Amino acid sequence: MSSEISEFINKLIWENSMTDFFWNYRIVNTKTANGGEDWYCIQEVVYDENGKPTGYGDPCLGSESMESFGDVWHMMQEAMTLPPLQEEDFV
């Protein structure tokens, strides 16, 4: 894992230290969903306390207010700045 990604994950862990896990949006190459061929999609990714991705699922594209929806959109844009995860990256 690159130091840039590690720093990003450590920042998220620090900001979410009230829980045993955290999540963000990431691009995941879900080849099994496409017969073994590359299939990149945005997912909600959950990490353990060490920053290791442990699972992913379809993203929630809604929010309780327009202001917080902007946060959702920003988080999805942030996912585009990070390298995609591969299915084998998950525990």
Side-chain angles (χ1 to χ4, degrees):
M1 183 181 316
S2 77
S3 63
E4 181 178 290
I5 294 171
S6 294
E7 287 175 34
F8 176 76
I9 289 173
N10 288 336
K11 179 178 181 255
L12 287 175
I13 290 172
W14 176 256
E15 290 173 356
N16 295 287
S17 61
M18 299 295 285
T19 62
D20 291 336
F21 68 94
F22 69 97
W23 68 273
N24 65 355
Y25 294 108
R26 290 292 299 270
I27 305 299
V28 180
N29 186 2
T30 57
K31 290 181 178 183
T32 57
N34 194 35
E37 299 294 321
D38 288 337
W39 186 252
Y40 295 94
C41 53
I42 195 154
Q43 299 286 317
E44 286 185 13
V45 173
V46 177
Y47 302 84
D48 67 15
E49 64 276 356
N50 298 312
K52 177 93 173 132
T54 59
Y56 61 90
D58 292 334
C60 174
L61 301 176
S63 189
E64 62 277 355
S65 70
M66 287 303 293
E67 181 179 309
S68 61
F69 189 78
D71 295 337
V72 170
W73 185 253
H74 176 74
M75 290 173 66
M76 288 184 177
Q77 288 175 315
E78 185 74 26
M80 293 295 297
T81 68
L82 299 170
L85 295 172
Q86 305 297 315
E87 289 176 316
E88 54 271 8
D89 292 330
F90 295 85
V91 176

